[in-house]
Amino acid sequence: MANCGRKACYFFIFIRIKWKPMSTTYNKDMGVGVIGAGKFGLALCNLLAEKHPVKLYSRRQEDVVRFEASRQLRDVTLHDNVTLEADLEHLCNTCEVLIPAIPSDNYPELVQAIQHVINPGHFVIHATKGFIQSNANPDTQSHRPFTVSEYFEQFTTVRRIGMIAGPNLSHEIHQGLPAGAVIGSRFNEVITIGKELFSSDRFQVFGSNDLLAIELAGILKNYIAIGAGITEGLKLGSNARSLYITRALAEIIYIANRLGVSSTSFLGLAGVGDLMTTCQSPLSRNFTVGYRIAKGENIESIIKDSIETIEGFKTLKLIHNEWRYTSRIPIAQVLHEILFDQKDPKSLVDVFMKATGENDVEFAL
């Protein structure tokens, strides 16, 4: 009987040690790790560096040489609080907060490289507006494309994950112009940390617990922006573009609803806010793609000229594969035909001019 008592005591001691609650904050002295040295990654670096030490990871050896010589990457001068890290594993071991800002296609390689290093004590706030198609696990063959947070949850032990999203053109952030974003996460501590890290006099940060909605809003607007660029290239005017954007918003909310997400978050910065910017600015890559297609260029030449990844291309392909048999996404369907089947860009006009429906704001009913 005494032995049973001792075993129970040891068991409860083990439980107390084993299940010690994780900290809801991070070690500020360790700095923040930004993964990805593209234009947006650099913009986030300089935002963060206004208040915190930042370690920036780039896999390009030429970036290391250039940074050491001039503290410049891609014509951007980096803040004095930014250091360049060429060892990804070291970055993960020395930073509790990781901010991946890389193309969606690069996540399988990234996660494979760090999955044995990162752990439940890390916080991840990604900045990628794209789906990940994975065949890495046989159990996921029938799974729809992953968002970044879903991919991390599937293939790593990290759970405190969030996303920063909104109307954030990197060029304007580099100029110091006012902007804002939303941190989406199911964990309040991730939102709190994100706000503390990014908020400044020139950058307003909000929070949302609907992470999937925030991710889908950022992803789905990519193909909508391509269509907006086509309306500009065809010189259809502001009225037509506003009509197009409104019908497109209803379409992407329909997709989100089918995936179990409410429309609420689509009416904030990650949805309408991002649409307003990316569907009207020549600084938007996806908008520029649509404009160039309307002017007669082909996809191959556009891809060849593009330095940064055009997420809208892949978004359209994946949506076409998943939803091609429904009549509720006519804009995605015709854009896929324009981009990949050489259909006349003017066919987009027929889609949004002949849209039917008794209610203007169908998705809110």
Side-chain angles (χ1 to χ4, degrees), residues 68-339:
E68 290 176 350
S70 65
R71 295 195 61 82
Q72 283 194 340
L73 294 178
R74 289 173 251 314
D75 299 321
V76 174
T77 300
L78 290 165
H79 195 284
D80 289 341
N81 278 344
V82 177
T83 57
L84 196 65
E85 177 63 72
D87 186 334
L88 182 57
E89 186 170 323
H90 183 261
L91 179 85
C92 294
N93 281 325
T94 55
C95 295
E96 291 181 343
V97 180
L98 302 175
I99 316 250
I102 61 176
S104 58
D105 282 341
N106 293 355
Y107 275 91
E109 180 184 349
L110 170 67
V111 167
Q112 186 175 15
I114 66 175
Q115 61 187 171
H116 65 290
V117 181
I118 55 177
N119 58 66
H122 280 94
F123 300 88
V124 172
I125 303 175
H126 76 87
T128 301
K129 299 171 181 177
F131 282 124
I132 304 169
Q133 184 70 59
S134 173
N135 294 321
N137 188 327
D139 295 336
T140 66
Q141 292 288 338
S142 61
H143 194 288
R144 64 166 172 78
F146 290 102
T147 65
V148 171
S149 72
E150 291 171 335
Y151 196 81
F152 265 90
E153 289 174 350
Q154 179 75 24
F155 297 107
T156 77
T157 59
V158 177
R159 291 297 175 267
R160 292 183 292 183
I161 306 166
M163 179 189 187
I164 181 168
N168 301 143
L169 296 172
S170 58
H171 180 75
E172 294 187 1
I173 294 175
H174 285 305
Q175 288 182 308
L177 297 175
V182 57
I183 303 290
S185 179
R186 291 186 294 274
F187 294 85
N188 289 330
E189 60 261 42
V190 175
I191 294 173
T192 299
I193 289 171
K195 285 183 175 182
E196 193 270 329
L197 287 173
F198 288 103
S199 294
S200 70
D201 291 340
R202 67 184 179 95
F203 202 77
Q204 177 76 287
V205 183
F206 300 88
S208 169
N209 289 122
D210 198 346
L211 172 58
L212 182 57
I214 298 301
E215 289 184 301
L216 289 177
I219 293 169
L220 295 175
K221 63 85 190 173
N222 288 327
Y223 82 83
I224 302 305
I226 293 176
I230 289 176
T231 67
E232 174 69 10
L234 295 177
K235 297 183 179 180
L236 300 180
S238 298
N239 291 338
R241 191 186 309 167
S242 294
L243 171 60
Y244 162 77
I245 293 171
T246 305
R247 300 318 306 161
L249 177 63
E251 179 170 304
I252 62 175
I253 288 179
Y254 167 78
I255 295 173
N257 289 164
R258 288 291 299 270
L259 295 174
V261 170
S262 74
S263 61
T264 305
S265 294
F266 280 74
L267 304 180
L269 277 175
V272 171
D274 205 354
L275 273 177
M276 290 174 65
T277 295
T278 198
C279 287
Q280 301 190 67
S281 174
L283 296 174
S284 161
R285 290 192 297 275
N286 291 294
F287 178 88
T288 302
V289 165
Y291 179 86
R292 293 175 64 178
I293 287 172
K295 293 300 184 183
E297 295 189 52
N298 58 51
I299 286 185
E300 288 74 19
S301 64
I302 294 173
I303 293 176
K304 186 177 179 180
D305 291 346
S306 180
I307 298 174
E308 303 276 333
T309 298
I310 303 166
E311 292 284 1
F313 283 168
K314 189 174 74 171
T315 302
L316 263 178
K317 287 182 178 179
L318 292 176
I319 291 217
H320 176 74
N321 290 339
E322 292 287 322
W323 303 88
R324 62 184 178 275
Y325 298 118
T326 177
S327 61
R328 295 293 299 275
I329 56 166
I331 291 174
Q333 290 169 340
V334 74
L335 286 175
H336 188 275
E337 292 172 352
I338 292 170
L339 266 64

